[in-house]
């Protein structure tokens, strides 16, 4: 901290000179508690990418990025404390990696005018930029995820899910409940029977839930889990000999640490992913510029894992949005409002991802004033327990916009009416 | 020294039995009030409001509520989190069902509904005591959280099951929702905390409070001298739940703005508030404030010192924080089981006799 404070103090002393403050990207991480298993690799990836940009490229447009970290333990009160503690620092963007904290922060960022990026989590209807001016959830949201799972199952079952039984095993919180409206709409559309089974947070005991699953024998179990809940669910599924290839997690239930505790029994478990996991060239850069220099956020052991990659992907999207903002305004010292404009004009193309050393890490998408949601595409991957790798089964699958768009419209319009927000972008 | 009784004469019973019989204490109390009402609102920023003062005041209200039940009436309760949830959800339903109703009445309504629910779950206290009652209230905790998660009516069928506070104003100044100023958020909590603490202090030294304490000290003897245990216990549950309900309503509407019942009002909240009154001091209004301050401020202070000043990694700090807090709780329980309030009392007495201890 002292080495970070020193230039700051110097900056105050030399206030007459050109302002050269850092670009601040606070990291509301959680490295403790029942959700730490997912929080640690994500945060490592997020911070390491900023360190890489600083070390390799000399910062973003010549300005160094600074990533103050604050521990939330996935707890909303601590999340609010962290937000308030860091926002005065010139924060450009918040990515809390928690749906609960996101809900606390949405009204706050609208008031403070700081963008909030909830990548694949948070409030789904924030995809409507007309209502949620400061909230983004590209490249995909929960309802996209639910739709992609159903589309994948349709393909697996010859184009029809008529009469099939699908069980949603979900974390009994805002996070786990988010996909329910979509799945209900889809069950009406495609004629499958949906059963909802909640698991109370954090989810260490799921005996009764799996007893119910064993009794009802659903064709597919879809899981919306996070943290310790995933590991327990996969172990319990193995215990009742539930066929693993009929068990699909969402993208927060598909990392190495979720399946590893069950060992070989987890072989064949499927999960969504919004970013491909390949040995990208950028990992070599991270190893040489960050980890070998001793600058890694963690111990460096997570490089290349699912959530490390996703954290890095989140940081990359933030950096690209910042670059876009710098290009648009012609100034390197962007503020939060410029960052928002940069995010609204973000274009992720295959060429750009390739140039960054991570070809095909995510789908191509563009963000606009009205659409903060991105393409919503995701892949389905499968765990190979012998090789200890996630094997992609599909290319990026597009969600069913016909079902999702009206749901987003309805939810965000209701939010706008409740809070007296006039739609923008017209 | 500061604490002296020489020259501090009482000529009426009224003077002698006031809350702060020592002159210095009384002036300090007024000074704190002046500071809280006339200085802090002008100096407060978002961080001090959301991270420190607002949670402190809200937890203090909840701690007073629990202290009335546990400290004054001797009934154990582990249902605090659940009762806070009742306050929050009742307040939410009132806010959304009657958009024109002033938020103050929604919060009071949340308290009243919680009082009713508290009485309901207090009924077993007429038959069972101690640990058995603690388990009965534990059932309330789990039942209420489950109920608010299960029945969509309580969260107005929102997709996520979260409740979010719409914007409401007091005298034209927003106190909930997005456009809240730090001082407004602080002031509404302060007004509630001061009025409720004042009411609690006066309740506990009146007839009702004495009947609670009689029940606490020995229920059979109390019954023999004419205290109605049914009335005493149920009023204690009602008043206690009223306070906790108001704390829950403020916690949801003013402090966080959106809550998820399992996360915000889980069993940890019950334990946290129980620790507050144990550390602060059972049967003491000042102790409720001291305990709330201890458990709200200490983690923030430790975090700011260890991460902010010493630059420790955040995860190490979080673990060290737990260890320090745990050690302090154990230390307190061994060295001073009556909590911070007792330390304060002993310190005061020593100071009054100083420099001639006997």
């Amino acid at each position: 901290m002292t080495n970070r404070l020193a230039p700051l103090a110097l900056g105050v002393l030399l206030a007459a000179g050109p302002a050269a403050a850092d670009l601040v990207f606070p990291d509301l991480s959680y490295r403790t508690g029942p959700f730490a298993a997912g929080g640690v690799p994500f945060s490592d990836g997020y911070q390491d990418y900023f360190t890489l940009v600083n070390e390799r490229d000399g910062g973003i447009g010549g300005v160094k990025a600074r990533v103050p970290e604050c521990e939330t333990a996935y707890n909303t009160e601590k999340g609010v404390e962290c937000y308030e503690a860091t926002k005065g620092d010139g924060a450009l963007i918040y990515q809390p990696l928690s749906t609960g904290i996101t809900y606390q922060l949405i009204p706050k960022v609208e008031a403070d005018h700081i963008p909030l990026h909830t990548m694949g989590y948070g409030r789904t209807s924030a995809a409507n930029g007309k209502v949620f001016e400061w909230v983004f959830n590209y490249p995909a949201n929960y309802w996209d995820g639910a739709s992609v799972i159903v589309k994948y199952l349709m393909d697996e079952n010859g184009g029809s899910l008529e009469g099939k039984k699908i069980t949603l095993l979900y974390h009994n919180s805002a996070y786990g409940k988010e996909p329910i409206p979509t799945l209900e709409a889809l069950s009406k559309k495609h004629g499958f029977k949906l059963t909802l089974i909640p698991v109370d947070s954090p989810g260490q005991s799921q005996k009764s839930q799996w007893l119910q699953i064993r009794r009802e024998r659903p064709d597919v179990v879809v899981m919306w889990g996070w943290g310790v809940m995933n590991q327990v669910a996969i172990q319990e599924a193995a215990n009742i000999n539930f066929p693993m290839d009929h068990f699909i997690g969402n993208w927060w239930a598909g990392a190495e640490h979720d399946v590893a505790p069950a060992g070989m029994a987890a072989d064949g478990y499927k999960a969504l992913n919004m970013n491909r996991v390949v040995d990208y060239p950028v990992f070599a850069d991270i190893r040489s510029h960050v980890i070998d220099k001793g600058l890694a956020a963690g111990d460096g052991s997570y490089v290349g894992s699912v959530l490390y990659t996703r954290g890095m992907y989140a940081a990359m999207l933030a950096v690209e949005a910042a670059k876009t903002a710098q290009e648009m305004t012609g100034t390197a010292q962007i503020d939060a409002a410029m960052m928002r404009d940069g995010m609204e004009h973000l274009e992720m193309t295959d060429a750009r991802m390739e140039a960054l050393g991570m070809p095909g890490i995510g789908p191509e998408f563009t963000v606009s004033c009205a659409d903060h949601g991105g393409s919503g595409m995701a892949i389905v991957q499968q765990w190979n327990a012998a090789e200890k790798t996630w094997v992609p089964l599909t290319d990026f699958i597009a969600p069913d916009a016909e079902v999702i768009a009206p749901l987003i419209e309805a939810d965000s319009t209701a939010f706008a009416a409740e809070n007296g927000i006039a739609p923008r972008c017209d | 020294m500061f604490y002296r009784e020489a020259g501090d004469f009482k000529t009426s019973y009224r003077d002698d039995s006031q809350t702060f019989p020592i002159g210095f204490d009384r002036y300090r109390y007024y000074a704190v009030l002046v500071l809280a009402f006339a200085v802090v609102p002008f100096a407060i920023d978002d961080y001090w409001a959301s991270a420190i003062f607002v949670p402190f005041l809200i937890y203090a209200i909840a701690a007073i509520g629990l202290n009335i039940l546990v400290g004054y009436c001797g009934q154990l309760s582990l249902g605090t989190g659940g009762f806070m949830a009742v306050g929050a959800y009742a307040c939410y339903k009132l806010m959304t069902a009657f958009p024109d109703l002033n938020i103050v009445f929604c919060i009071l309504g949340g308290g009243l509904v919680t009082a009713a629910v508290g009485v309901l779950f207090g009924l077993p206290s007429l038959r069972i005591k101690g640990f058995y009652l603690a388990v009965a209230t534990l059932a309330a905790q789990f039942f209420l959280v489950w109920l608010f998660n299960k029945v969509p009516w309580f969260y107005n069928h929102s997709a996520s099951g979260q409740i979010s506070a719409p914007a409401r104003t007091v005298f034209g100044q927003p106190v909930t929702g997005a456009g809240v100023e730090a001082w407004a958020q602080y002031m509404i909590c302060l007004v509630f905390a001061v009025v409720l603490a004042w009411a609690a202090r006066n309740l506990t030294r009146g007839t009702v409070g004495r009947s609670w304490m009689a029940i606490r000290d020995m229920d059979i003897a109390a019954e023999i001298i004419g205290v109605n245990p049914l009335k005493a216990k149920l009023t204690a549950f009602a008043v206690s739940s009223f306070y906790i309900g108001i704390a829950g309503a403020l916690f949801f509407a003013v402090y966080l703005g959106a809550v998820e019942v399992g996360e915000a009002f889980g069993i940890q909240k019950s334990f946290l508030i129980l620790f507050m009154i144990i550390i602060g001091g059972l049967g003491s209004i000042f102790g409720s404030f001291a305990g709330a301050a201890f458990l709200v401020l200490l983690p923030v202070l430790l975090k700011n010192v260890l991460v902010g000043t010493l630059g420790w990694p955040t995860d190490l700090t979080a673990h060290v924080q737990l260890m320090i807090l745990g050690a302090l709780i154990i230390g307190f329980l061994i060295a001073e089981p009556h909590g911070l309030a007792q330390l304060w009392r002993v310190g005061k007495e020593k100071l009054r006799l100083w420099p001639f201890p006997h």
Side-chain angles (χ1 to χ4, degrees):
Chain A
M1 191 44 96
T2 43
N3 60 341
R4 287 175 186 160
L5 278 176
L8 236 158
L10 209 69
V12 173
L13 286 174
L14 303 174
D22 301 331
L23 298 176
V24 182
F25 299 87
D27 181 18
L28 268 50
S29 64
Y30 39 96
R31 294 169 181 273
T32 62
F35 304 96
V40 173
F42 189 92
S43 172
D44 282 359
Y46 193 69
Q47 295 190 31
D48 284 355
Y49 188 74
F50 284 109
T51 314
L52 172 73
V53 170
N54 281 345
E55 291 294 310
R56 185 190 59 188
D57 312 338
I60 304 165
V63 189
K64 294 265 182 185
R66 182 158 58 86
V67 188
E69 189 177 358
C70 190
E71 168 74 31
T72 68
Y74 202 74
N75 174 295
T76 48
E77 288 166 65
K78 284 191 192 150
V80 169
E81 201 257 329
C82 281
Y83 170 78
E84 297 290 352
T86 49
K87 80 173 183 195
D89 214 6
L92 291 181
I93 182 173
Y94 279 92
Q95 309 210 27
L97 192 64
S98 152
T99 297
I101 297 175
T102 301
Y103 271 82
Q104 313 300 323
L105 295 188
I106 286 174
K108 291 184 192 294
V109 296
E110 300 274 344
D112 295 330
H113 294 194
I114 301 173
L116 177 70
H117 185 195
T118 56
M119 188 178 82
Y121 57 91
R123 184 174 188 134
T124 303
S125 59
N128 186 355
K130 291 181 188 171
V131 174
F132 294 91
E133 189 178 348
W134 296 89
V135 190
F136 296 80
N137 54 14
Y138 56 77
N141 58 51
Y142 290 139
W143 297 351
D144 295 330
S147 166
V148 167
I149 290 181
V150 170
K151 268 191 139 176
Y152 170 75
L153 292 174
M154 296 270 284
D155 284 351
E156 288 286 280
N157 290 281
S160 168
L161 287 173
E162 201 67 45
K164 296 274 182 194
K165 286 193 284 186
I166 296 181
T167 291
L168 174 70
L169 184 78
Y170 65 98
H171 193 254
N172 201 356
S173 66
Y175 157 62
K177 285 177 184 165
E178 281 274 355
I180 294 174
T182 313
L183 286 173
E184 279 171 346
L186 288 167
S187 100
K188 270 197 206 104
K189 185 176 173 184
H190 298 302
F192 61 84
K193 184 176 172 291
L194 180 69
T195 317
L196 304 173
I197 302 184
V199 176
D200 277 331
S201 177
Q204 288 117 321
S205 63
Q206 300 179 23
K207 282 275 180 244
S208 64
Q209 283 88 349
W210 285 95
L211 210 64
Q212 192 182 343
I213 288 171
R214 193 171 69 176
R215 202 168 51 231
E216 289 177 358
R217 296 178 187 283
D219 296 290
V220 180
V221 173
V222 175
M223 173 158 75
W224 232 259
W226 183 229
V228 71
M229 169 181 167
N230 296 342
Q231 303 169 5
V232 177
I234 290 164
Q235 185 62 58
E236 290 285 350
N239 292 351
I240 67 162
N241 285 326
F242 189 83
M244 277 296 166
D245 53 346
H246 288 247
F247 187 15
I248 300 188
N250 75 332
W251 44 59
W252 301 115
E256 291 82 1
H257 58 258
D258 296 327
V259 278
M264 284 309 290
D267 191 51
Y269 171 73
K270 292 175 185 171
L272 283 187
N273 203 344
M274 63 177 122
N275 55 281
R276 284 203 189 88
V277 187
V278 190
D279 193 13
Y280 296 112
V282 70
F283 292 146
D285 283 2
I286 287 181
R287 286 200 182 89
S288 64
H289 288 283
V290 180
I291 292 166
D292 293 347
K293 287 189 192 169
L295 299 170
D299 57 3
S301 60
Y302 291 109
V303 180
S305 72
V306 172
L307 287 170
Y308 183 94
T309 310
R310 194 169 303 152
M312 181 193 76
Y313 182 43
M316 181 274 274
L317 292 176
V319 169
E320 292 310 298
K323 281 185 198 161
T324 310
Q326 286 175 335
E327 280 160 24
M328 284 167 59
T329 56
T331 165
Q333 280 294 335
I334 54 168
D335 61 19
M338 297 176 191
M339 182 72 186
R340 198 269 321 267
D341 292 341
M343 292 170 82
E344 277 189 346
H345 290 85
L346 183 65
E347 268 181 62
M348 288 313 300
T349 58
D350 281 337
R352 200 161 177 182
M353 287 184 269
E354 186 151 2
L356 294 167
M358 39 186 112
I361 187 168
E364 289 192 296
F365 65 93
T366 55
V367 189
S368 68
C369 177
D371 177 14
H372 285 189
S375 70
M377 293 205 274
I379 61 168
V380 178
Q381 56 182 10
Q382 187 169 34
W383 179 244
N384 182 331
E387 303 278 324
K388 293 199 192 313
T389 49
W390 286 100
V391 182
L393 295 178
T394 65
D395 200 357
F396 280 105
I397 302 174
D400 188 347
E402 190 188 313
V403 173
I404 294 166
L407 286 172
I408 288 182
E409 189 63 33
D411 193 67
S412 56
T413 316
F415 180 85
E418 261 176 43
N419 292 278
I421 297 169
R424 50 195 274 276
C425 311
D426 292 322
Chain B
M1 268 303 285
F2 297 123
Y3 275 102
R4 57 165 180 236
E5 281 171 294
D8 202 356
F9 299 115
K10 311 286 189 308
T11 50
S12 66
Y13 283 119
R14 197 187 154 81
D15 284 349
D16 198 40
S17 61
Q18 59 183 325
T19 301
F20 299 105
I22 305 168
F24 176 73
D25 262 2
R26 202 157 53 239
Y27 300 130
R28 184 185 51 82
Y29 164 71
Y30 289 130
V32 168
L33 280 187
V34 169
L35 195 73
F37 277 99
V39 178
V40 175
F42 297 99
I44 201 165
D45 64 5
D46 277 352
Y47 180 72
W48 280 89
S50 319
I52 294 167
F53 277 113
V54 168
F56 159 63
L57 290 169
I58 291 170
Y59 279 120
I61 295 173
I64 294 172
L66 189 64
N67 223 335
I68 285 173
L69 191 65
V70 181
Y72 285 99
C73 196
Q75 310 294 307
L76 268 179
S77 169
L78 286 174
T80 322
F83 293 133
M84 281 179 81
V86 174
Y89 276 76
C91 178
Y92 173 69
K93 288 304 285 186
L94 288 170
M95 282 169 93
T96 49
F98 306 104
D100 295 328
L101 189 64
N102 190 298
I103 176 75
V104 172
F105 294 104
C106 296
I107 293 169
L108 289 174
L112 289 174
V113 172
T114 317
V117 175
V119 168
L120 204 65
F121 282 99
L123 285 174
S125 71
L126 304 174
R127 282 292 176 90
I128 53 179
K129 294 195 254 195
F131 283 118
Y132 303 98
L133 183 61
V135 173
T137 52
L138 194 63
Q141 164 74 45
F142 286 114
F143 170 74
L144 290 167
V145 167
W146 171 83
L147 181 74
F148 293 132
N149 234 330
K150 178 78 183 167
V151 183
W153 179 80
F154 286 113
Y155 48 84
N156 286 359
H157 301 269
S158 72
S160 59
Q162 287 233 357
I163 54 171
S164 328
R168 293 287 181 269
T169 57
V170 175
F171 302 127
Q173 180 67 38
V175 293
T176 66
V180 185
E181 306 269 347
W183 67 267
Q185 207 183 10
Y186 163 77
M187 277 305 280
I188 186 167
C189 293
L190 181 69
V191 168
F192 268 105
V194 169
V195 170
L196 288 175
W198 175 81
R201 170 65 194 152
N202 285 299
L203 263 183
T204 51
R205 60 180 179 168
T207 321
V208 186
R210 278 200 298 268
S211 68
W212 292 342
M213 286 185 269
I215 291 287
R216 171 191 68 189
D217 292 340
M218 197 175 194
D219 50 352
I220 293 175
E223 204 173 346
I224 289 167
I225 60 167
V227 173
N228 182 350
L230 173 100
K231 203 176 133 202
K233 285 179 177 176
L234 291 189
T235 48
F237 264 98
V239 174
S240 157
S241 307
F242 178 75
Y243 276 62
I244 293 170
I246 287 196
L250 288 171
F251 186 85
F252 150 68
V254 177
Y255 174 33
L256 288 180
V259 294
E260 190 176 311
V261 64
E263 210 267 331
F265 300 120
I267 182 80
Q268 310 91 320
K269 197 112 297 173
S270 298
F271 285 129
L272 179 70
I273 293 164
L274 194 63
F275 290 150
M276 282 178 186
I277 63 169
I278 290 173
I279 288 181
L282 290 172
S284 157
I285 304 295
F286 167 73
S288 309
F289 279 96
F294 189 83
L295 284 186
V296 172
L297 305 187
L298 192 70
V300 175
L301 181 75
L302 281 176
K303 190 200 95 171
N304 284 338
V305 169
L306 296 180
V307 179
T309 312
L310 300 177
W312 287 19
T314 51
D315 47 347
L316 179 65
T317 305
H319 290 130
V320 168
Q321 223 174 8
L322 280 179
M323 287 156 63
I324 294 178
L325 221 54
L328 281 172
I329 290 173
I330 294 171
F332 256 110
L333 289 181
I334 294 170
E336 186 48 88
H338 297 290
L340 293 166
Q342 178 68 6
L343 278 183
W344 178 243
R345 220 172 285 143
V346 171
K348 252 178 4 186
E349 268 164 29
K350 297 232 186 247
L351 279 175
R352 281 162 71 187
L353 296 172
W354 189 86
F356 304 114
H358 47 208

